[in-house]
Amino acid sequence: MDVKSFIAKRVAREFKDGNLVNLGIGLPTMVANYVPENINVIFQSENGFIGLGPAPAPEQLDPAITNAGGIPVTVKPGAAFFDSATSFGIIRGGHVDYTVLGALQVDEKGNIANYMIPGKMVPGMGGAMDLLTGAKKVIVAMEHTAKGSLKILKKCNLPLTAINAVDLIVTEMGVIEVTPEGLVLKEINPEYTVEQVQAATEATLIIKGKPEIMKLD
Amino acid sequence: MNKLINIEQAIDLIKDGDTIFVGGFLGVGSPHRLIDALVKRGTKNLILICNDTGTPEVGVGKLVVNKQFRKIIASHIGTNKETGRQMMEGETEVELVPQGTLIEQIRSAGYGLGGVLTPTGLGTEYAKGKQIINVDGKDYLLEKPLFADVAIIAATKADKFGNLFYHGATRNFNNITSSAAKITIAEVEELVEIGDIDPDIVHTPGIFVEYLVNGGK
């Protein structure tokens, strides 16, 4: 299994039956593929519906039904369409249980930067600031480092998308919980040692006893 | 009262220097024929308020490529490299706004509100210069109303009074922007007689729509 699928599969284990979940673009979108069969998760698409389903067969394709990345999708029975005011009322109003997003940087206070690199890449925040502010739980799903450069920092130095927002960080190396004391390494991928995970993390990881082995099933 | 006009008459209503809302989300639910006609007309120095700037080939992005805007207010421009280029090179002013905030600013304008209070963006660079208001111990940003001269929107079905119905995820910004412009022009796929849309399923009441353009599928 490739690294991104591994991360997505671990994230999917967090959900409980009946949760409303919003997935960001990229790696987070893959999480939908790994939700356990006995768990019914409802996905929101911030462009205007809940009940997001899988990609359509060619004969099912409807150009009016796309995800927030503009990719054609289907809706599941029980879905509902709405306008952007309702969509962001759902998001800001605390009705979304989990949002899963990628990040450029996360720090030990749960601050997150994921919408711009000044002078280089300024795509805009889209719905990310609202999701980070309004979702009950925020999971960052990302590769632990960016080609060797560290992303889990003491303090983010890129413009923040939100402050004190992140609850859990899931990478190919482990699962890190953001707590008032700092970042706690809860689970570790057995392919790595605690020292290796720490070496790939600028922030000091808090180890309480022995981290559990990262399980996908 | 005849709201039905042709596409040229519709484009006559947009003047150089106007502020325009354009409905749609990455081109889904955008008024494509009106956009193409506005590109052809070449109306200049416009201010755009839109969720995103589409792609260079799709939706409102074509107007960006044709350099018809002096300012763009949007939540996301990452799918249109031309918007980013114009911003970086100082050709076009770009103001990025969180998606949920943008729709509420438009809703405030249309619904008679002096703005909205939202926690989205607190503590980030985006909040700089914005008024913070504390309500019962919680901080919020004051976000002021956003009006436009003309809204160009798209709907799946309309009656000749302008009552609108949207299929799938096409409601997005169309519904709310119709309330906040001096003139709203709806491009519709299917036009029916007054009384042929069940009042129970009207998404946008016809009183928000000044003109209709019969766009076809």
Side-chain angles (χ1 to χ4, degrees):
Chain A
M1 183 181 290
D2 67 283
V3 167
K4 287 179 179 174
S5 303
F6 178 86
I7 297 167
K9 198 166 180 193
R10 174 60 191 83
V11 170
R13 282 191 57 217
E14 288 296 307
F15 306 145
K16 291 174 189 62
D17 199 42
N19 279 166
L20 177 61
V21 175
N22 185 298
L23 301 176
I25 292 167
L27 194 165
T29 305
M30 297 165 63
V31 172
N33 303 332
Y34 298 104
V35 176
E37 273 182 25
N38 56 338
I39 304 266
N40 181 28
V41 169
I42 304 152
F43 289 106
Q44 188 210 16
S45 192
E46 69 261 29
N47 52 322
F49 54 104
I50 57 171
L52 179 72
E59 69 276 11
Q60 282 181 303
L61 190 135
D62 181 339
I65 302 174
T66 64
N67 65 18
I71 308 295
V73 292
T74 54
V75 288
K76 291 184 170 175
F81 292 108
F82 30 75
D83 65 28
S84 294
T86 303
S87 193
F88 281 84
I90 289 168
I91 288 168
R92 218 187 302 96
H95 308 285
V96 171
D97 294 295
Y98 287 93
T99 185
V100 184
L101 295 164
L104 297 164
Q105 297 177 337
V106 189
D107 71 24
E108 57 191 18
K109 301 271 189 236
N111 299 322
I112 174 169
N114 72 350
Y115 87 102
M116 69 180 286
I117 303 173
K120 274 192 181 165
M121 180 200 79
V122 189
M125 66 290 276
M129 281 192 177
D130 298 285
L131 281 159
L132 286 162
T133 304
K136 285 183 197 155
K137 291 271 182 195
V138 172
I139 301 176
V140 167
M142 65 176 190
E143 294 181 56
H144 205 97
T145 62
K147 293 173 190 143
S149 86
L150 304 188
K151 300 172 74 177
I152 305 174
L153 307 175
K154 290 185 195 299
K155 195 171 188 300
C156 295
N157 53 39
L158 289 172
L160 297 177
T161 318
I163 57 167
N164 307 324
V166 177
D167 296 288
L168 202 68
I169 306 164
V170 179
T171 77
E172 76 283 12
M173 295 184 121
V175 178
I176 296 167
E177 190 179 9
V178 183
T179 73
E181 292 76 41
L183 301 181
V184 176
L185 183 64
K186 301 278 283 186
E187 294 177 25
I188 188 166
N189 179 342
E191 290 180 26
Y192 301 96
T193 65
V194 170
E195 291 71 28
Q196 283 173 318
V197 181
Q198 179 62 75
T201 310
E202 189 199 58
T204 304
L205 294 172
I206 300 169
I207 314 291
K208 290 181 174 168
K210 199 168 181 253
E212 284 180 44
I213 297 298
M214 205 172 166
K215 284 202 190 80
L216 298 189
D217 300 302
Chain B
M1 175 183 31
N2 179 22
K3 293 188 177 182
L4 190 62
I5 56 176
N6 67 39
I7 214 148
E8 291 305 317
Q9 290 170 314
I11 298 306
D12 287 343
L13 296 166
I14 304 171
K15 313 292 185 198
D16 281 347
D18 274 357
T19 297
I20 62 170
F21 294 133
V22 180
F25 191 114
L26 293 176
V28 178
S30 287
H32 294 286
R33 283 177 173 78
L34 286 169
I35 288 169
D36 286 346
L38 189 57
V39 168
K40 206 172 154 201
R41 183 71 63 90
T43 313
K44 294 281 188 202
N45 293 316
L46 300 169
I47 296 178
L48 172 70
I49 303 173
C50 189
N51 175 59
D52 56 81
T53 55
T55 72
E57 299 83 27
V58 175
V60 75
K62 294 177 182 175
L63 291 158
V64 176
V65 172
N66 206 32
K67 299 180 181 174
Q68 290 176 256
F69 301 117
R70 65 186 147 106
K71 181 174 179 181
I72 293 168
I73 302 172
S75 77
H76 198 268
I77 60 168
T79 52
N80 189 337
K81 284 197 167 64
E82 176 61 12
T83 314
R85 188 199 65 74
Q86 289 180 15
M87 175 176 64
M88 296 289 187
E89 296 183 14
E91 290 175 23
T92 307
E93 185 186 345
V94 176
E95 188 179 328
L96 294 167
V97 180
Q99 202 167 113
T101 297
L102 186 58
I103 194 68
E104 285 300 310
Q105 289 184 286
I106 299 167
R107 193 179 66 86
S108 296
Y111 285 38
L113 302 172
V116 291
L117 300 176
T118 173
T120 300
L122 274 172
T124 70
E125 280 183 21
Y126 168 77
K128 278 187 185 150
K130 290 185 184 286
Q131 192 179 343
I132 295 173
I133 294 177
N134 188 284
V135 181
D136 295 339
K138 271 193 79 179
D139 281 344
Y140 299 89
L141 296 181
L142 171 64
E143 299 282 6
K144 294 179 179 172
L146 274 178
F147 295 88
D149 297 297
V150 182
I152 55 173
I153 65 171
T156 309
K157 194 172 181 177
D159 69 19
K160 287 181 175 172
F161 182 64
N163 290 313
L164 305 181
F165 166 83
Y166 309 88
H167 165 60
T170 63
R171 213 175 313 175
N172 52 63
F173 274 53
N174 287 303
N175 185 36
I176 302 291
T177 50
S178 71
S179 69
K182 289 176 201 152
I183 300 171
T184 292
I185 308 165
E187 171 182 326
V188 304
E189 286 183 15
E190 185 188 356
L191 186 68
V192 299
E193 294 300 324
I194 291 172
D196 284 352
I197 297 182
D198 181 345
D200 275 338
I201 66 153
V202 170
H203 293 135
T204 301
I207 52 119
F208 288 135
V209 180
E210 276 69 37
Y211 296 103
L212 295 162
V213 169
N214 198 349
K217 282 260 179 192

